[in-house]
Amino acid sequence: TPNVVVIGGTTIEVNDASSLVGREGARVELEGSFNASGVLILRESKLAVENTVRTEDRAAAADPAAGTVTTRLGIVITPTGDSRVEDDDADDDDGDRLTPEAFLNRVMIDDYIEARGYPNPDGSVTWRRIELDDDDDLECELRGPVEAISGTTAMDFSFEIQGVTIDVSQITSDDDFEGYDDDDIGRQAFFDQLDVGDVVKAESDDAGVGCQ
């Protein structure tokens, strides 16, 4: 007899819902195919997690033996078998889906890399998607949960994301401080609202000042 699960108000019959026991209220991803009776034959079920850590930057070092790429900001990116790895700069379809080993062997110093994933309790990141991009930009970008805040006023504060200190002292325009709805809120309001755990996106200027 098929099992029944309800996701987003939609009732789905599956062949075996035992892997979903205890996950009521959690976001999940289901993979499988429907049989002739409309029952979903599950191949895999897993908790869905938001990729709250994202970075765009140039490679400063690549170590295929260690399985890592390090960006100018010092972010260590480690592709795994669970990562979707692509080379958007490839001239053919060979770069569409790469193994971690093939990807690492392609990376050259100063290549532009985009990566996204989710943080683990031990501080590491599980990288879900990593791409080599054909991009001439010098800027860098880092998004993730705030780990620490330093300073006591809006004029002298900084904060950390993934161990990288975000120094906002060079930002002179209030228009460059945005709130939750991407509205300009100014330096003071941004500082007043900032808390550890907030997900913040920080971007360098076009020249990449601060990315090294």
Side-chain angles (χ1 to χ4, degrees):
T1 301
N3 293 203
V4 174
V5 297
V6 179
I7 299 179
T10 300
T11 300
I12 302 173
E13 290 188 342
V14 300
N15 62 315
D16 182 4
S18 60
S19 62
L20 299 171
V21 173
R23 293 185 172 180
E24 292 85 353
R27 295 178 60 193
V28 296
E29 296 178 4
L30 306 181
E31 292 185 11
S33 57
F34 290 96
N35 64 15
S37 300
V39 176
L40 179 62
I41 308 301
L42 284 177
R43 289 194 302 269
E44 182 181 8
S45 67
K46 57 186 178 181
L47 289 173
V49 292
E50 183 181 359
N51 293 327
T52 55
V53 178
R54 301 184 185 183
T55 189
E56 297 181 15
D57 199 359
R58 295 198 171 276
D63 189 343
T68 61
V69 176
T70 304
T71 69
R72 294 176 297 174
L73 287 173
I75 302 296
V76 178
I77 300 171
T78 306
T80 69
D82 293 327
S83 307
R84 178 168 180 167
V85 187
E86 300 180 353
D87 182 358
D88 289 345
D89 196 21
D91 295 329
D92 49 37
D93 293 336
D94 290 343
D96 285 351
R97 293 296 292 267
L98 299 172
T99 65
E101 294 78 15
F103 174 81
L104 290 165
N105 285 325
R106 288 186 181 216
V107 176
M108 305 291 289
I109 304 304
D110 210 36
D111 279 348
Y112 202 80
I113 294 178
E114 299 180 12
R116 63 189 68 180
Y118 60 88
N120 299 306
D122 64 0
S124 65
V125 175
T126 297
W127 297 101
R128 301 286 297 278
R129 184 160 186 167
I130 309 169
E131 302 174 25
L132 280 175
D133 199 2
D134 181 16
D135 199 324
D136 295 329
D137 290 346
L138 298 176
E139 64 189 28
C140 61
E141 177 183 308
L142 179 60
R143 178 180 185 269
V146 173
E147 298 167 330
I149 302 171
S150 300
T152 57
T153 71
M155 299 309 297
D156 69 356
F157 81 102
S158 62
F159 54 94
E160 289 186 14
I161 300 174
Q162 287 296 302
V164 177
T165 298
I166 309 301
D167 180 2
V168 300
S169 62
Q170 301 301 311
I171 300 178
T172 58
S173 173
D174 271 358
D175 293 343
D176 291 327
F177 291 90
E178 298 180 351
Y180 295 110
D181 297 323
D182 296 330
D183 296 327
D184 298 337
I185 61 173
R187 178 187 292 267
Q188 185 65 55
F190 184 90
F191 174 73
D192 291 342
Q193 296 177 24
L194 185 63
D195 287 313
V196 170
D198 288 346
V199 176
V200 175
K201 181 174 73 173
E203 299 177 357
S204 74
D205 63 6
D206 292 341
V209 174
C211 296
Q212 301 289 351

